[in-house]
Amino acid sequence: MDDTEKLIYKYALLNAVKHKGSAQSGAVVGVIMGSHPELRKESKKIVSLAAEITGQVNSLSLDEQKQELEKLGVKETKKEKKQEKSGLADLPNVDGEVVLRFAPNPSGPLHIGHARAAILNQEYVTRYGGKLILRVEDTDPRRVDPDAYQMIPEDLEWMGVKWQDQYIQSDRMEIYHQYARELIELGKAYMCTCPGDEFKKLKDSSQECPHREMSLAENLKLWEEMPGMSEGSVVLRVKTDLDHKNPAIRDWVAMRIVDDEHPRIGDKFRVYPMMNFSVTVDDHLMGVTHVLRGKDHLANSEKQKYLYHHLGWDVPEFIHYGRLKMDDIALSTSQARNGIEEGMYTGWDDPRLGTIRAIGRRGIMPEAIKELMLEIGVKIADSTVSWKKIYGLNRNILEKVANRYFAVLNPQKVTINGLPESLKGTIKRVKHPDFPDRGYRELPFDGEVYLDQDDIENNNGRVLRLMDAVNIKIADEITYHSSSLEDARKEKARIVHWVPVSSNKRVKVMMQDANLLSGFIEPSSDELSVDDIVQLERVGFARLDSVQNSELTFYFAHK
Ligand code: GLU
């Protein structure tokens, strides 16, 4: 290596270590030009050397890259070290085994908002040992989607989240009933038959309702009668502080009557716990040490503390994180459900949705979602996520993983006039320029090709280079121009992808807006299997979703 090469090597290594093992030659060139202005006059050489050297660096593992840097005597800066350590703060007050839980409501499949709690819980269990509990919170019979019991574990598995214990709250109804009764016996809860609006008036002016001081016997009698009473006529209230500054926290409802059958346990029960009651009982009984939840649950945490104190239980550490705003991601489960029911979306994995299954179907990698969530962490400030951000993270992963293929999605059949016989044959092209050992694709080339209509229309009167093949002149007739890359450069020819007509292999690509494009793909795509993610050159990354009668259907990820 000469000095310039060594310099590029060093910066490529630094860039790779900074980006989890994957350097970008453009960034490397940028840094070199900035710090070594004397090299600017050799920019062409630097650009091509940087491409080559970055490729070599990227074929090393992150550890090897770090070792190489050490050999060069280069120390990572503090900033780089810090960036590399996950941005996730330590858990407060860890003392003994850490027990965490992910507790979704089964109202549908998981969406990207759920991914935060799931992934961060998992990350902490990895950091501290201990265990993660999956608890499906289905104590509101009206908000249960029976399919969710299966979709939630599937979505977690896709994300790589592993849990050690699993509970479904509707299996635990007797436990909630038992603790409700205990609370009455302790004088810490009371049966209240006030009409809702009357109770609200009293509560808002910090006044007791007449039931608060009922005798134990009267309370227990009503509790026994509760299953036979009508919905809305009676609730069990937890005593809190009637002067609490937040009226919502004053004597909150622990148990209520629901008329609807429960989709899972039927009509066995009519008296159901409210979320704050079942969550607290379970978090205690399951030994949860740290509760990660959004700051929209701040008042709930406050409510729950009363219950812990009444029952003489230790309060777990509550960690509240800010909201995740997702500007351009269709998020709400109820909106998605309506759209599916109205036939606007094809299902929970429609490419327009922000569900985990929709994202996965499009070839977004679980690692990208994990990186995103670790970066966002548990901070209390709100964070904003966009597709663009997710695509950036995913691209870093896929650039290495995805092999490349040609697909022409807006095809126009072209016959190249005057193509010398000697140039007909088979064109070989690497599957991945950074990993030549992955081998080659073979494209038969006989002068009949599909080109993208836009490439033809936008280059009328100009020369186009068909990648790794020949240069052609676009006019009323399409004719052979020349064969070398130098000639193409001289002509400032655009370099385009193409597909041989002879292989006649059809492809469809489902775009993010649910528009289904169709065209042709090169014959080597025969070797692909469903779930493979590829880079369709000049089109973007896509995941192979199905193969039917040798026709491939991809779901588009992003450019
Ligand atoms: N099932 C509740 C929810 O998903 C759990 C909230 C919590 O306690 O973290 O909102």
Side-chain angles (χ1 to χ4, degrees):
M1 271 197 225
D2 65 26
D3 285 347
T4 314
E5 285 167 349
K6 271 190 200 142
L7 187 75
I8 299 174
Y9 189 53
K10 180 180 96 177
Y11 283 114
L13 286 167
L14 277 168
N15 189 261
V17 168
K18 195 168 150 191
H19 295 104
K20 302 195 168 59
S22 173
Q24 300 211 310
S25 75
V28 174
V29 173
V31 176
I32 291 171
M33 297 303 179
S35 52
H36 296 269
E38 74 281 2
L39 292 175
R40 285 184 196 156
K41 55 182 187 301
E42 295 181 69
S43 65
K44 257 206 182 132
K45 183 176 141 205
I46 304 286
V47 168
S48 87
L49 273 176
E52 191 184 313
I53 294 174
T54 314
Q56 288 163 9
V57 164
N58 286 348
S59 66
L60 303 176
S61 70
L62 184 57
D63 281 339
E64 288 166 339
Q65 290 165 346
K66 286 180 188 164
Q67 284 163 14
E68 285 299 296
L69 267 180
E70 249 169 53
K71 273 192 222 157
L72 293 178
V74 181
K75 292 236 161 33
E76 285 172 70
T77 63
K78 269 203 188 114
K79 199 171 147 217
E80 278 148 4
K81 279 216 167 123
K82 207 170 139 209
Q83 269 186 354
E84 200 204 315
K85 185 169 177 268
S86 100
L88 200 55
D90 285 336
L91 284 176
N93 299 322
V94 172
D95 178 19
E97 197 196 19
V98 166
V99 179
L100 304 173
R101 49 52 159 201
F102 174 60
N105 303 334
S107 52
L110 300 183
H111 55 63
I112 188 154
H114 289 109
R116 184 184 198 175
I119 288 169
L120 295 183
N121 274 306
Q122 157 88 76
E123 191 62 17
Y124 280 128
V125 170
T126 308
R127 190 179 293 181
Y128 291 100
K131 70 174 174 187
L132 176 61
I133 295 167
L134 167 60
R135 191 170 73 217
V136 179
E137 305 210 317
D138 60 346
T139 54
D140 182 350
R142 294 196 178 106
R143 289 175 56 201
V144 171
D145 173 352
D147 294 337
Y149 296 102
Q150 200 185 330
M151 293 193 285
I152 290 171
E154 282 170 4
D155 293 342
L156 288 173
E157 272 159 26
W158 180 84
M159 286 191 274
V161 172
K162 293 187 181 67
W163 58 97
Q164 286 68 45
D165 292 340
Q166 182 169 343
Y167 299 93
I168 298 180
Q169 285 192 320
S170 56
D171 286 337
R172 300 169 59 79
M173 291 291 284
E174 276 98 358
I175 299 174
Y176 310 130
H177 283 241
Q178 176 199 327
Y179 280 98
R181 188 185 174 97
E182 184 172 333
L183 212 53
I184 299 171
E185 286 169 349
L186 288 168
K188 302 294 187 189
Y190 58 95
M191 300 297 294
C192 173
T193 53
C194 288
D197 52 343
E198 250 169 59
F199 183 84
K200 185 175 183 315
K201 251 187 251 159
L202 291 170
K203 169 187 90 165
D204 285 350
S205 53
S206 297
Q207 292 183 62
E208 282 197 7
C209 99
H211 307 101
R212 203 175 202 255
E213 296 308 326
M214 265 190 327
S215 71
L216 175 58
E218 281 172 298
N219 263 313
L220 284 176
K221 183 168 175 284
L222 261 178
W223 169 249
E224 297 299 337
E225 289 168 6
M226 192 176 181
M229 296 170 75
S230 60
E231 181 171 328
S233 64
V234 61
V235 293
L236 178 71
R237 292 191 181 279
V238 177
K239 286 186 185 169
T240 67
D241 179 357
L242 289 174
D243 292 317
H244 196 286
K245 60 182 187 315
N246 180 357
I249 288 170
R250 300 175 191 164
D251 287 14
W252 52 270
V253 176
M255 303 291 286
R256 60 162 177 169
I257 297 170
V258 181
D259 278 337
D260 290 38
E261 266 198 25
H262 191 286
R264 186 163 170 274
I265 54 170
D267 56 6
K268 199 167 162 206
F269 295 93
R270 292 189 73 238
V271 177
Y272 282 92
M274 296 294 279
M275 187 267 277
N276 281 307
F277 190 75
S278 40
V279 160
T280 307
V281 169
D282 281 350
D283 282 343
H284 170 73
L285 294 181
M286 295 172 191
V288 172
T289 57
H290 296 73
V291 171
L292 267 61
R293 54 167 64 127
K295 71 180 182 195
D296 46 325
H297 283 296
L298 272 167
N300 290 328
S301 300
E302 191 77 15
K303 287 183 184 178
Q304 292 171 19
K305 279 185 196 160
Y306 283 92
L307 206 48
Y308 283 101
H309 293 139
H310 290 335
L311 292 162
W313 295 341
D314 289 339
V315 183
E317 291 290 334
F318 295 128
I319 298 140
H320 298 99
Y321 45 74
R323 271 185 312 166
L324 199 53
K325 291 191 237 159
M326 288 174 249
D327 290 349
D328 49 359
I329 303 181
L331 232 206
S332 127
T333 300
S334 56
Q335 279 170 1
R337 178 186 304 288
N338 291 342
I340 294 168
E341 277 163 12
E342 287 162 14
M344 190 165 90
Y345 300 129
T346 52
W348 289 112
D349 53 6
D350 185 287
R352 289 162 289 187
L353 297 178
T355 59
I356 294 301
R357 48 198 55 223
I359 293 176
R361 192 171 191 189
R362 293 175 49 203
I364 309 290
M365 303 290 276
E367 292 80 6
I369 303 300
K370 179 170 167 187
E371 264 183 56
L372 175 72
M373 296 309 166
L374 292 182
E375 199 178 295
I376 294 170
V378 286
K379 57 181 182 287
I380 191 88
D382 294 344
S383 316
T384 305
V385 176
S386 62
W387 280 124
K388 196 169 158 224
K389 171 83 196 171
I390 295 175
Y391 295 166
L393 293 169
N394 202 50
R395 193 176 297 116
N396 285 343
I397 298 167
L398 290 187
E399 244 153 25
K400 277 189 175 180
V401 176
N403 287 336
R404 303 185 183 184
Y405 295 89
F406 286 158
V408 175
L409 297 178
N410 182 17
Q412 182 170 326
K413 199 181 205 171
V414 162
T415 303
I416 304 166
N417 288 304
L419 178 71
E421 279 303 313
S422 61
L423 293 176
K424 294 184 180 172
T426 302
I427 306 283
K428 280 173 95 183
R429 190 166 162 80
V430 277
K431 288 186 186 166
H432 197 299
D434 296 340
F435 304 97
D437 52 332
R438 290 192 197 163
Y440 291 82
R441 309 118 61 179
E442 292 193 349
L443 295 102
F445 181 62
D446 62 4
E448 289 238 297
V449 293
Y450 288 112
L451 297 183
D452 190 302
Q453 238 167 50
D454 289 342
D455 284 334
I456 296 174
E457 279 162 20
N458 297 337
N459 289 283
N460 200 12
R462 297 206 197 104
V463 174
L464 269 189
R465 175 162 182 81
L466 309 192
M467 277 188 215
D468 285 355
V470 298
N471 309 320
I472 59 175
K473 174 101 190 207
I474 309 288
D476 292 344
E477 279 224 317
I478 292 186
T479 48
Y480 171 74
H481 180 275
S482 51
S483 66
S484 72
L485 187 57
E486 288 73 52
D487 283 332
R489 290 213 173 113
K490 248 184 259 153
E491 296 288 339
K492 296 196 172 56
R494 184 163 282 272
I495 303 178
V496 303
H497 60 298
W498 53 277
V499 168
V501 170
S502 62
S503 51
N504 192 29
K505 203 163 166 51
R506 290 188 173 271
V507 68
K508 287 203 167 83
V509 180
M510 174 64 91
M511 303 304 287
Q512 203 216 330
D513 58 4
N515 196 7
L516 189 62
L517 303 181
S518 58
F520 294 91
I521 188 163
E522 61 166 275
S524 306
S525 59
D526 268 344
E527 68 198 9
L528 294 172
S529 329
V530 166
D531 280 340
D532 281 347
I533 300 175
V534 300
Q535 184 173 10
L536 301 175
E537 301 200 53
R538 295 182 72 233
V539 175
F541 294 96
R543 178 189 148 274
L544 183 56
D545 191 68
S546 66
V547 182
Q548 256 179 355
N549 304 329
S550 90
E551 179 176 286
L552 309 184
T553 300
F554 289 89
Y555 267 56
F556 186 73
H558 47 77
K559 279 267 179 201

